[in-house]
Amino acid sequence: MTPKCFLDFWRRHKKKILITASVIGSGYFLYKQYDYYSRRLQVIQRELDNEREADELIKAQIQAHFEHIQRIADTTTLPHAIQHLQTRIEEDLDLSHLTERLMMGKGQPNTLTLAEKLDLWENLKILSFTKMVISLWAITVLSLYIRVQVNILGRHMYVDTARGLGSSHLLEEAELVDRNDEQKFLAFSDFLSNYGLNTLIPRMQIAVAEVLKSKQLRDVFDTTTLRETTIRIIKIFMSTGRPHHWLDYLMPEDKQSSIRGTLSTDDDATVTNINKFDQLMMETRAVLLSAEFGNVVERSLEVGVNGLMEEMEGSVGGGGSSSTSGTPLARLVPRVSQMGPLLLEDPRKTRFIQMIRGIPEVEIFFTLLYANTVPAS
């Protein structure tokens, strides 16, 4: 084609050529953009898939670690604490001096006056129920408290060691748990035995005396009466005094709370600069003060009372309508005094702890706690 013909062709088809070129250019540009974003989307999708795989791996390991932590609590920490608790309760609520004096009075009728006998029986009645209900309350609440401790500690330890799996959002930055902090933290499972009982026993004894003041030794008890009596003692004990007063029997005073109350707002940075041990203690207190934990304690005590009644049924008699059913309180008191040591047997050998562990609400609570989703009070 000659230059003249080309120019004529250009003049005649200039608009069409430009439109065609524009369409082709736009199409190529769109193709390149589509190819770029397709590749970018594939990269992002692979990253998301990798992150999901890492999260699933972490979740699976958290679950396995959670189950391992439960075994530690049930086979090591709890048996040690319960054994120590049993020793202290037996020492502080030793009833042998009362039973020995009553037996002496029975063998030698002139050694005790009627008033002295009645006073001994009254003390034996109060202290026997105190021993039984304290044992029930203590093993229930202490077992829950230790599980809270071990779950909080286990989660912190897992987060500390799981960072090597990557920067998943499931892993939070946290200070490492020092071995000394770990031992110091777990040692507070003995706080109830070493310190809490000193206040717990007289407080429980007041609740028992309030409930039993109208109960005579000749009154007939069946399982229904005994259940109602036990539940009423627990309710009076739990509701007397300031809210969550029972927490003082399990843990020392919250020093961080006292510090926060004395510092100005300019000193807030000092409060947040706490060590791992203080953090573990604060988290534990927050969980124990939560409404969710309160519900777990209440439900566990209900199940504990039912288990206690099953153990006592052979000694008490059924709650039927027959006038011969039931046992006079005087004959029931010795059996009541024996229930404390039975409740505080090695938890690896008794079904009492297993009954509490089998409560659905309890298992849900601790599963959520380990995942760090139980809100504070």
Side-chain angles (χ1 to χ4, degrees):
M1 178 181 294
T2 64
K4 183 179 179 180
C5 292
F6 178 78
L7 291 174
D8 290 340
F9 179 81
W10 171 254
R11 282 194 295 270
R12 288 196 305 270
H13 302 286
K14 176 181 178 180
K15 187 175 182 179
K16 295 180 180 179
I17 292 173
L18 291 176
I19 292 174
T20 302
S22 176
V23 170
I24 293 173
S26 298
Y28 179 75
F29 174 77
L30 291 174
Y31 168 75
K32 294 298 290 183
Q33 287 290 101
Y34 171 78
D35 183 63
Y36 169 78
Y37 284 111
S38 294
R39 291 177 182 273
R40 180 61 182 162
L41 184 61
Q42 291 175 1
V43 171
I44 294 174
Q45 187 63 47
R46 282 196 296 270
E47 291 176 352
L48 291 174
D49 290 341
N50 291 337
E51 185 174 347
R52 277 195 294 267
E53 289 178 3
D55 288 347
E56 290 301 320
L57 176 60
I58 292 171
K59 289 177 181 178
Q61 292 196 353
I62 285 177
Q63 180 61 32
H65 194 255
F66 170 76
E67 295 172 356
H68 177 64
I69 287 296
Q70 306 312 305
R71 288 193 294 271
I72 292 176
D74 292 338
T75 61
T76 304
T77 311
L78 183 58
H80 164 78
I82 294 300
Q83 183 179 12
H84 191 189
L85 179 66
Q86 182 184 30
T87 301
R88 280 298 316 278
I89 290 179
E90 286 298 313
E91 292 174 353
D92 293 355
L93 288 171
D94 182 14
L95 308 181
S96 60
H97 64 289
L98 296 175
T99 56
E100 287 172 1
R101 288 196 64 191
L102 285 170
M103 291 299 294
M104 184 182 300
K106 185 177 181 181
Q108 302 174 13
N110 296 326
T111 58
L112 293 174
T113 65
L114 178 61
E116 288 175 331
K117 288 181 180 180
L118 291 176
D119 186 61
L120 286 172
W121 269 107
E122 185 66 17
N123 288 334
L124 184 61
K125 177 183 73 174
I126 299 297
L127 292 179
S128 294
F129 272 86
T130 300
K131 188 174 185 178
M132 181 184 73
V133 179
I134 272 188
S135 299
L136 172 64
W137 185 91
I139 191 174
T140 301
V141 178
L142 182 60
S143 66
L144 295 172
Y145 169 66
I146 289 175
R147 288 191 69 184
V148 169
Q149 274 191 310
V150 176
N151 276 271
I152 289 177
L153 179 62
R155 189 178 189 282
H156 275 270
M157 294 176 66
Y158 180 81
V159 169
D160 291 342
T161 56
R163 292 176 185 154
L165 292 175
S167 59
S168 168
H169 66 274
L170 289 179
L171 299 178
E172 305 166 358
E173 290 298 323
E175 181 186 353
L176 291 174
V177 179
D178 181 79
R179 179 68 175 174
N180 291 332
D181 286 340
E182 174 189 342
Q183 294 178 344
K184 184 179 177 182
F185 176 63
L186 290 177
F188 276 102
S189 62
D190 285 332
F191 184 86
L192 173 61
S193 300
N194 292 332
Y195 306 101
L197 280 179
N198 297 331
T199 308
L200 172 60
I201 290 176
R203 292 283 180 85
M204 185 67 76
Q205 192 171 336
I206 291 173
V208 171
E210 174 66 23
V211 174
L212 295 184
K213 65 183 180 181
S214 60
K215 306 293 184 182
Q216 304 299 319
L217 292 172
R218 62 178 178 272
D219 292 348
V220 175
F221 270 57
D222 56 22
T223 51
T224 301
T225 308
L226 184 58
R227 177 185 287 106
E228 292 173 351
T229 301
T230 306
I231 291 175
R232 190 178 170 208
I233 291 171
I234 293 173
K235 286 185 176 180
I236 290 178
F237 166 75
M238 295 292 282
S239 62
T240 301
R242 59 182 175 81
H244 302 103
H245 68 90
W246 50 268
L247 185 56
D248 295 338
Y249 313 135
L250 295 173
M251 295 183 69
E253 180 185 358
D254 183 10
K255 294 181 179 179
Q256 291 299 323
S257 178
S258 302
I259 293 174
R260 284 193 294 270
T262 58
L263 291 177
S264 66
T265 54
D266 295 335
D267 297 322
D268 286 346
T270 304
V271 179
T272 57
N273 187 24
I274 59 176
N275 58 35
K276 174 61 72 173
F277 171 75
D278 291 331
Q279 182 182 353
L280 292 170
M281 293 295 288
M282 290 174 65
E283 287 185 22
T284 301
R285 179 172 289 274
V287 171
L288 299 187
L289 288 172
S290 69
E292 289 78 8
F293 186 76
N295 294 334
V296 165
V297 169
E298 182 177 354
R299 179 70 181 119
S300 298
L301 287 171
E302 290 176 0
V303 172
V305 171
N306 292 336
L308 177 63
M309 294 306 106
E310 291 178 8
E311 295 291 336
M312 295 284 291
E313 192 167 7
S315 302
V316 181
S321 60
S322 172
S323 60
T324 60
S325 64
T327 303
L329 181 55
R331 293 181 57 188
L332 184 62
V333 165
R335 177 59 175 165
V336 168
S337 67
Q338 295 170 0
M339 288 309 301
L342 291 178
L343 289 171
L344 296 174
E345 285 183 342
D346 189 336
R348 292 168 295 188
K349 300 177 182 178
T350 180
R351 67 185 184 92
F352 190 80
I353 296 298
Q354 298 303 320
M355 290 177 62
I356 296 174
R357 286 206 60 189
I359 303 172
E361 297 93 326
V362 173
E363 293 312 296
I364 292 173
F365 173 84
F366 282 105
T367 300
L368 294 176
L369 173 61
Y370 196 76
N372 200 27
T373 58
V374 174
S377 60

